[in-house]
Amino acid sequence: MIGHLNPGIEPRNDWELLQLGATRYQGGQAEVYTALDKKFELMSKDEDLVQTQEDWDRALDTLFEPTGIKPYAGEQNECIQSRPIPDTKYSIRLFPDFSTGAEYCLDFVDNETGEAVNFPFEFELFAGPGETDAPWLNVPGAMKSHSIERVFGNRQEDILPGEEKFILRDGQMCVLTRPGKPAIHFTVPIRKRPTDENAQATANIIRLDFPKVITLAP
């Protein structure tokens, strides 16, 4: 991750390892080290932010669920799904994020190369409540979505090519709008892990197949 965000910059201690693995710094080695030194000095003046070497070691030894890691070009499985956007050279790709938080990632892929691209500026993405069997969705209504990079304050031109992504939730309904073109509607898949308990419960029930939606005659 450090080589991707800050190529050529070697961390001098565990604190810098955490910083360089989470934030992209501008400039060469000297400029980055100066920025890190200033940041550490400012943090050291705030007693609430001071952490010992043991704290950094503990953070590095903690197992974290990977988040925001993009698939390779062309990689597909049951959780990595892509669909072409009509009348464009792009596809929407959904891939797993933080599973325990029911989060999915979305990015855009060039149809010819299979490589991820940053958000086409003329598109807008909206997300809102979706499936009723997704209780983790507490969004009151559809809201415009912004990439995680923009949420963290990065300017569009500073985002590395192909690294931009959006964080969505399992079961969320989304709308992609394009000037002069029909809107694209889709629902984020819901991931469910089968368990012995669920299998036993399912074996002991009878499910009636009433329709979920009824379309009325005009």
Side-chain angles (χ1 to χ4, degrees), residues 9 15 29 66 73 98 111 123 125 175 178 181 195 203:
I9 308 298
W15 180 81
Q29 189 177 74
F98 192 42
N111 291 335
F123 294 175
L125 180 66
V175 178
R178 307 168 294 159
K181 301 288 185 180
T195 63

mmCIF file of all heavy atoms in Angstrom, residues 9 15 29 66 73 98 111 123 125 175 178 181 195 203:
data_model
loop_
_atom_site.group_PDB
_atom_site.id
_atom_site.type_symbol
_atom_site.label_atom_id
_atom_site.label_comp_id
_atom_site.label_asym_id
_atom_site.label_seq_id
_atom_site.Cartn_x
_atom_site.Cartn_y
_atom_site.Cartn_z
ATOM 1 N N ILE A 9 9.187 6.167 -1.017
ATOM 2 C CA ILE A 9 9.319 6.726 0.331
ATOM 3 C C ILE A 9 9.370 5.573 1.333
ATOM 4 O O ILE A 9 8.424 4.794 1.442
ATOM 5 C CB ILE A 9 8.159 7.673 0.683
ATOM 6 C CG1 ILE A 9 7.981 8.737 -0.404
ATOM 7 C CG2 ILE A 9 8.396 8.314 2.041
ATOM 8 C CD1 ILE A 9 9.169 9.649 -0.588
ATOM 9 N N TRP A 15 5.282 4.742 13.255
ATOM 10 C CA TRP A 15 4.289 5.810 13.071
ATOM 11 C C TRP A 15 4.225 6.222 11.601
ATOM 12 O O TRP A 15 3.139 6.380 11.035
ATOM 13 C CB TRP A 15 4.648 7.008 13.950
ATOM 14 C CG TRP A 15 3.668 8.143 13.811
ATOM 15 C CD1 TRP A 15 2.459 8.262 14.419
ATOM 16 C CD2 TRP A 15 3.824 9.303 12.976
ATOM 17 N NE1 TRP A 15 1.846 9.426 14.027
ATOM 18 C CE2 TRP A 15 2.660 10.087 13.143
ATOM 19 C CE3 TRP A 15 4.828 9.754 12.122
ATOM 20 C CZ2 TRP A 15 2.471 11.291 12.478
ATOM 21 C CZ3 TRP A 15 4.646 10.958 11.453
ATOM 22 C CH2 TRP A 15 3.474 11.711 11.637
ATOM 23 N N GLN A 29 11.183 12.777 -1.581
ATOM 24 C CA GLN A 29 11.476 12.197 -0.273
ATOM 25 C C GLN A 29 11.685 13.255 0.801
ATOM 26 O O GLN A 29 11.134 13.159 1.897
ATOM 27 C CB GLN A 29 12.702 11.296 -0.380
ATOM 28 C CG GLN A 29 12.973 10.470 0.862
ATOM 29 C CD GLN A 29 14.158 9.542 0.679
ATOM 30 O OE1 GLN A 29 15.301 9.991 0.672
ATOM 31 N NE2 GLN A 29 13.892 8.256 0.511
ATOM 32 N N PRO A 66 -9.608 -6.190 5.199
ATOM 33 C CA PRO A 66 -9.224 -5.325 4.074
ATOM 34 C C PRO A 66 -10.415 -4.538 3.557
ATOM 35 O O PRO A 66 -11.539 -5.046 3.502
ATOM 36 C CB PRO A 66 -8.722 -6.330 3.018
ATOM 37 C CG PRO A 66 -8.351 -7.544 3.794
ATOM 38 C CD PRO A 66 -9.304 -7.599 4.947
ATOM 39 N N ALA A 73 -7.819 -6.362 -13.208
ATOM 40 C CA ALA A 73 -8.585 -6.195 -14.446
ATOM 41 C C ALA A 73 -9.090 -7.546 -14.925
ATOM 42 O O ALA A 73 -8.328 -8.502 -15.038
ATOM 43 C CB ALA A 73 -7.704 -5.542 -15.511
ATOM 44 N N PHE A 98 -16.073 -4.015 3.204
ATOM 45 C CA PHE A 98 -16.103 -4.425 4.609
ATOM 46 C C PHE A 98 -17.338 -5.294 4.843
ATOM 47 O O PHE A 98 -18.422 -4.779 5.074
ATOM 48 C CB PHE A 98 -16.120 -3.168 5.469
ATOM 49 C CG PHE A 98 -15.869 -3.389 6.921
ATOM 50 C CD1 PHE A 98 -14.899 -4.268 7.352
ATOM 51 C CD2 PHE A 98 -16.599 -2.696 7.869
ATOM 52 C CE1 PHE A 98 -14.664 -4.470 8.705
ATOM 53 C CE2 PHE A 98 -16.364 -2.880 9.214
ATOM 54 C CZ PHE A 98 -15.395 -3.774 9.629
ATOM 55 N N ASN A 111 -14.356 -0.508 -20.866
ATOM 56 C CA ASN A 111 -14.782 -1.764 -21.482
ATOM 57 C C ASN A 111 -13.703 -2.389 -22.352
ATOM 58 O O ASN A 111 -13.621 -3.618 -22.461
ATOM 59 C CB ASN A 111 -16.047 -1.544 -22.320
ATOM 60 C CG ASN A 111 -17.259 -1.228 -21.464
ATOM 61 O OD1 ASN A 111 -17.313 -1.593 -20.286
ATOM 62 N ND2 ASN A 111 -18.232 -0.553 -22.039
ATOM 63 N N PHE A 123 -21.282 12.148 -15.048
ATOM 64 C CA PHE A 123 -22.241 11.263 -14.386
ATOM 65 C C PHE A 123 -22.480 11.739 -12.957
ATOM 66 O O PHE A 123 -21.652 12.397 -12.345
ATOM 67 C CB PHE A 123 -21.713 9.831 -14.325
ATOM 68 C CG PHE A 123 -21.572 9.151 -15.669
ATOM 69 C CD1 PHE A 123 -21.005 7.893 -15.750
ATOM 70 C CD2 PHE A 123 -21.990 9.757 -16.829
ATOM 71 C CE1 PHE A 123 -20.861 7.251 -16.969
ATOM 72 C CE2 PHE A 123 -21.852 9.141 -18.064
ATOM 73 C CZ PHE A 123 -21.292 7.883 -18.123
ATOM 74 N N LEU A 125 -24.125 9.946 -9.214
ATOM 75 C CA LEU A 125 -24.581 8.718 -8.576
ATOM 76 C C LEU A 125 -25.392 9.057 -7.331
ATOM 77 O O LEU A 125 -24.948 9.842 -6.486
ATOM 78 C CB LEU A 125 -23.380 7.840 -8.189
ATOM 79 C CG LEU A 125 -23.698 6.511 -7.514
ATOM 80 C CD1 LEU A 125 -24.431 5.564 -8.475
ATOM 81 C CD2 LEU A 125 -22.413 5.855 -6.998
ATOM 82 N N VAL A 175 -29.032 4.980 -8.342
ATOM 83 C CA VAL A 175 -29.408 5.556 -9.631
ATOM 84 C C VAL A 175 -28.211 6.327 -10.170
ATOM 85 O O VAL A 175 -27.645 7.182 -9.473
ATOM 86 C CB VAL A 175 -30.618 6.503 -9.507
ATOM 87 C CG1 VAL A 175 -30.957 7.119 -10.863
ATOM 88 C CG2 VAL A 175 -31.826 5.763 -8.937
ATOM 89 N N ARG A 178 -27.143 10.504 -16.298
ATOM 90 C CA ARG A 178 -26.252 10.956 -17.368
ATOM 91 C C ARG A 178 -26.979 12.006 -18.188
ATOM 92 O O ARG A 178 -28.163 11.836 -18.487
ATOM 93 C CB ARG A 178 -25.852 9.784 -18.263
ATOM 94 C CG ARG A 178 -25.266 8.595 -17.522
ATOM 95 C CD ARG A 178 -25.163 7.378 -18.435
ATOM 96 N NE ARG A 178 -26.480 6.895 -18.819
ATOM 97 C CZ ARG A 178 -26.712 6.131 -19.893
ATOM 98 N NH1 ARG A 178 -25.714 5.797 -20.682
ATOM 99 N NH2 ARG A 178 -27.930 5.713 -20.162
ATOM 100 N N LYS A 181 -29.461 11.123 -21.277
ATOM 101 C CA LYS A 181 -29.592 9.676 -21.400
ATOM 102 C C LYS A 181 -30.508 9.146 -20.297
ATOM 103 O O LYS A 181 -30.650 9.761 -19.239
ATOM 104 C CB LYS A 181 -28.226 8.992 -21.292
ATOM 105 C CG LYS A 181 -27.206 9.429 -22.327
ATOM 106 C CD LYS A 181 -27.557 8.897 -23.708
ATOM 107 C CE LYS A 181 -26.462 9.254 -24.707
ATOM 108 N NZ LYS A 181 -26.794 8.739 -26.068
ATOM 109 N N THR A 195 -25.467 -20.738 7.511
ATOM 110 C CA THR A 195 -24.985 -21.359 8.734
ATOM 111 C C THR A 195 -25.824 -22.591 9.016
ATOM 112 O O THR A 195 -26.931 -22.760 8.496
ATOM 113 C CB THR A 195 -25.076 -20.403 9.929
ATOM 114 O OG1 THR A 195 -26.464 -20.084 10.159
ATOM 115 C CG2 THR A 195 -24.312 -19.109 9.656
ATOM 116 N N ALA A 203 -35.191 -25.616 7.097
ATOM 117 C CA ALA A 203 -35.738 -26.954 6.890
ATOM 118 C C ALA A 203 -37.049 -27.153 7.642
ATOM 119 O O ALA A 203 -37.843 -28.032 7.286
ATOM 120 C CB ALA A 203 -34.717 -28.000 7.327
#
